[in-house]
Amino acid sequence: MTDSELWGRASAERYDAEETVMSSAAVLAPTLDFLAELAGDGRALEFAIGTGRVGIPLRGRGVPVAGIELSEHMVAVLRRKIDQDTLPVTIGDMATTVVPGEFALVYLVYNTISNLLTQDAQVRCFRNAARHLRPGGRFVIELEVPPLRLLPPGQVAVPFDVSARHLGFDTIDVVEQLLVSHHFTRDGDHYRRDTSRHRYAWPAELDLMARIAGLEPEHRYADWAGTPFAADSTKHISVWRKPVRGRPL
């Protein structure tokens, strides 16, 4: 069982077409450089691998990649691009599903840990990452910084995209630490509405989750190019390391 919302067939089928910018070479090149360097000569495991936006080109860099994905529909799209023997994917919840072997790198990109809607589930995700890592291996997360500083008193919504094809805004529940993304996407002569729920977390909270899982903080950057993380950074790339000698998980 999971508290993560499940991607359906329609969302999976249009995902790649709606994420062309995130799939571009300009976005992916620094991401792949970063992950390939951390993986070294070891294996990499992607939590919530989706349609393979990152996992497939990382495999093309020569890194052996495996994945965990909750949505069978997302995996069906991935399977049109690459076979199971080349990039094995296990259907399951990233917070609890275990795959064979040890990995040099476990990673979660594009805010995906926020799909787990409780703190307990996010802690389990950190524990699951640590369970899969070999000693000295790294866990990497890409996550936006909660946009709470943009909220004046009494306001609960923050726009994040206003364009001819798409209107997007987040509504934020600061008590429950939940964020709902609202998307109005032009589809022909009408707009399609989609929503998704997320649990946001500050970097310091993630560091505590990592500590609970027996992982040590190693780096935090503002982007995949390694720009230093600062007070005005809108997202972070965080790296935690499994000690070579550490306490039992």
Side-chain angles (χ1 to χ4, degrees), residues 17-188:
E18 294 184 347
E19 295 295 344
T20 54
V21 172
M22 293 301 296
S23 300
S24 66
V27 171
L28 280 181
T31 306
L32 299 174
D33 289 345
F34 190 101
L35 295 174
E37 182 177 356
L38 285 187
D41 60 358
R43 302 167 67 208
L45 175 62
E46 181 171 354
F47 284 177
I49 194 170
T51 64
R53 180 183 68 90
V54 174
I56 292 174
L58 185 60
R59 182 67 182 86
R61 292 282 190 98
V63 178
V65 177
I68 294 173
E69 172 57 47
L70 183 62
S71 171
E72 295 184 18
H73 301 297
M74 297 290 274
V75 176
V77 176
L78 178 148
R79 281 288 160 253
R80 298 171 194 163
K81 311 170 190 176
I82 195 166
D83 61 77
Q84 175 73 9
D85 290 338
T86 305
L87 200 165
V89 175
T90 301
I91 302 295
D93 177 8
M94 60 184 167
T96 57
T97 301
V98 178
V99 301
E102 286 189 326
F103 295 84
L105 173 67
V106 177
Y107 65 95
L108 256 175
V109 298
Y110 204 11
N111 305 317
T112 313
I113 194 170
S114 70
N115 291 352
L116 297 170
L117 299 178
T118 66
Q119 186 182 72
D120 285 346
Q122 292 178 353
V123 169
R124 287 195 299 271
C125 184
F126 271 81
R127 287 187 178 275
N128 200 30
R131 180 183 297 118
H132 285 91
L133 287 172
R134 71 188 186 189
R138 273 89 171 191
F139 183 36
V140 177
I141 284 181
E142 175 189 23
L143 185 63
E144 70 174 8
V145 175
L148 300 191
R149 288 182 298 175
L150 301 178
L151 286 175
Q155 182 172 312
V156 297
V158 176
F160 60 85
D161 184 38
V162 179
S163 60
R165 187 174 178 273
H166 178 256
L167 303 174
F169 62 92
D170 294 327
T171 53
I172 300 171
D173 182 338
V174 297
V175 175
E176 298 296 331
Q177 213 164 303
L178 292 174
L179 177 153
V180 181
S181 288
H182 304 261
H183 302 267
F184 294 85
T185 307
R186 178 174 284 280
D187 189 357

